[in-house]
Amino acid sequence: FDDYSITGFIDTGNFVIYKGFPVIFMNKKYLNEYMIIDCIEIKSVIGIEYINIVEVKNIKINNRIIDFAYVGLMNECEYDCILRWFL
C-alpha cells in the first residue's frame, strides 16, 4: 500500500472473519500490486458475493497501526473502506 487518506465506514454488521482475523474491505484501486491469497463467499445486502482476500503487513486506521490484516477487495462501493466496529 502507498499512503492514502480514504473515507471509511464502520459497519456494525460486518462479522466477516478469515483464518480467525476480521476482514477489512477496501476498494482495490488503492493497491498498486497485490497477491490474492484466497477467495471467500460472503452474504451482503445485495446477496452472495465472492471476495478476493489479500494479506496486508500494516495499515494505519485512525492513527493506530495494525501490524497484520486481511483485506477483502471491493470493486465499487460508496466508501473506500469498510471496517469492523472495533477498529
Side-chain angles (χ1 to χ4, degrees), residues 7-37:
T7 302
F9 175 75
I10 297 174
D11 183 0
T12 57
N14 176 7
F15 297 106
V16 179
I17 298 288
Y18 181 78
K19 294 189 177 184
F21 290 90
V23 174
I24 298 169
F25 293 93
M26 186 173 292
N27 191 314
K28 66 181 180 182
K29 72 181 180 184
Y30 294 107
L31 290 111
N32 291 328
E33 294 181 24
Y34 56 87
M35 187 169 85
I36 296 169
I37 59 171

Side-chain angles (χ1 to χ4, degrees), residues 1 18 22-28 31 35-38 40 51-59 68-74 80-82:
F1 285 105
Y18 181 78
V23 174
I24 298 169
F25 293 93
M26 186 173 292
N27 191 314
K28 66 181 180 182
L31 290 111
M35 187 169 85
I36 296 169
I37 59 171
D38 205 350
I40 62 171
I51 302 291
N52 290 324
I53 300 291
V54 299
E55 185 179 305
V56 175
K57 298 298 180 201
N58 59 53
I59 187 169
F68 178 86
Y70 287 115
V71 173
L73 302 179
M74 301 184 302
D80 299 322
C81 183
I82 299 176

